[in-house]
Amino acid sequence: MTTFVFFADQGHKRRADGRNVAVAQGANVAVARAAAEALIGQPGAFADFAAVDISATVPPFVIEGHFPVGARTQTVWPLLTRGGDRLLGE
């Protein structure tokens, strides 16, 4: 599986809910993008976001803003969004 980071690479692509970066794995970029979109329950939400394969060597990076939020079925990441809700996907 390949791991991709999807992000709003231009200001007009930023989402009002602050969900501007997603990380997901998939056999290819389309599968990973669909997995990221399923996590927030919004198919197509990241369609215009840039995608970077981070499975190979990439420069280190920082994500500014709120902490990561994961699916309710996992125990690694916090479960509540900045608004105090859970993500829609599993």
Side-chain angles (χ1 to χ4, degrees), residues 34-58:
E37 293 168 345
L39 186 59
I40 64 168
Q42 295 179 0
F46 303 132
D48 292 333
F49 279 25
V52 175
D53 176 349
I54 61 167
S55 300
T57 303
V58 296

Side-chain angles (χ1 to χ4, degrees), residues 11-39:
H12 72 277
K13 295 180 182 179
R14 290 186 183 152
R15 295 170 48 92
D17 62 9
R19 295 173 183 168
N20 294 305
V21 179
V23 180
Q25 290 183 328
N28 57 48
V29 69
V31 172
R33 192 181 307 267
E37 293 168 345
L39 186 59

Side-chain angles (χ1 to χ4, degrees), residues 17-19 66-70 72 78-88:
D17 62 9
R19 295 173 183 168
H66 202 56
F67 51 78
V69 179
R72 61 185 101 199
L79 299 176
L80 299 179
T81 67
R82 66 183 178 165
D85 300 314
R86 293 180 184 259
L87 296 176
L88 298 175

Side-chain angles (χ1 to χ4, degrees), residues 1 7 15 26 38 73:
M1 291 268 205
F7 64 99
R15 295 170 48 92
T73 57

